[in-house]
Amino acid sequence: MKDENALEPTQEQLEGFLSPAEDKPIYMVNLLKYRDKAEYADGRETELSGRQAYGLYGMGVVACLEAVGGHMYFSGTVQRLMLGEVEDLWDDVAIAVYPSRAAMLEMIQSPAYQEIHVHRNAGLQGQLNIETNATVALNP
C-alpha cells in the first residue's frame, strides 16, 4: 500500500467529489503532515512553523464549517503507530463533519474560506483527506 500526501485533489478525485451523491452527512478524516517552517506562496517572510500557520487556518475554518451547518468532530496529535506500517507518520488527525458534499463545496468556495486557505497551504507539507459516511456516530 502506497501513501502520498498532497495539497490538492487529482482531477479524478475532484470528479468523484463533484459526482451526484446522497444528501447526507460526510465525515472528512484529515491526516495532516506539517512543514517545518511555513512557506507562503506569495513569498512573504514568516517565522511561523507549519503547525502554527495551519493553526491560523484551523481557527478560521471552524467558523466556515459552522456557516454551512458543519462542525469539527475531532482533532488530535498523532502519538505513535499502533498497527501496520507506514514510511512516515502524520502529525495530526482531524475529523470535520459536513451536512453533505454540497455543504463542503459551498464552504470551500466561500470568500471567508478563500481568505484563510493561504495558511493551510503554507503550513501543510501535505495531507490525506478521506471522505467517509457514519455507520455509527456516538456524538455526531
Side-chain angles (χ1 to χ4, degrees), residues 30-125:
N30 299 269
L31 303 176
L32 307 166
K33 187 68 175 169
Y34 302 116
R35 300 176 194 271
D36 291 331
K37 183 176 181 197
E39 295 178 20
Y40 285 90
D42 62 9
R44 74 180 78 169
E45 290 294 321
T46 183
E47 294 301 316
L48 294 175
S49 68
R51 183 182 292 276
Q52 290 169 323
Y54 190 85
L56 295 174
Y57 166 80
M59 288 186 304
V61 85
V62 169
C64 293
L65 274 165
E66 291 172 354
V68 297
H71 64 277
M72 283 301 300
Y73 184 70
F74 171 85
S75 178
T77 300
V78 173
Q79 299 297 306
R80 65 185 181 87
L81 191 62
M82 171 68 182
L83 179 67
E85 196 173 317
V86 295
E87 194 170 307
D88 194 18
L89 283 178
W90 294 270
D91 297 316
D92 282 349
V93 175
I95 302 173
V97 181
Y98 299 87
S100 64
R101 279 190 198 162
M104 183 178 176
L105 185 58
E106 177 185 341
M107 184 193 84
I108 62 178
Q109 293 176 331
S110 73
Y113 182 84
Q114 293 300 314
E115 186 176 315
I116 62 170
H117 190 261
V118 63
H119 300 299
R120 175 190 171 274
N121 284 1
L124 284 180
Q125 180 180 327

Side-chain angles (χ1 to χ4, degrees), residues 17-31:
F17 180 77
L18 295 174
S19 69
E22 293 180 48
D23 190 24
K24 64 181 182 179
I26 59 171
Y27 289 65
M28 279 296 187
V29 179
N30 299 269
L31 303 176

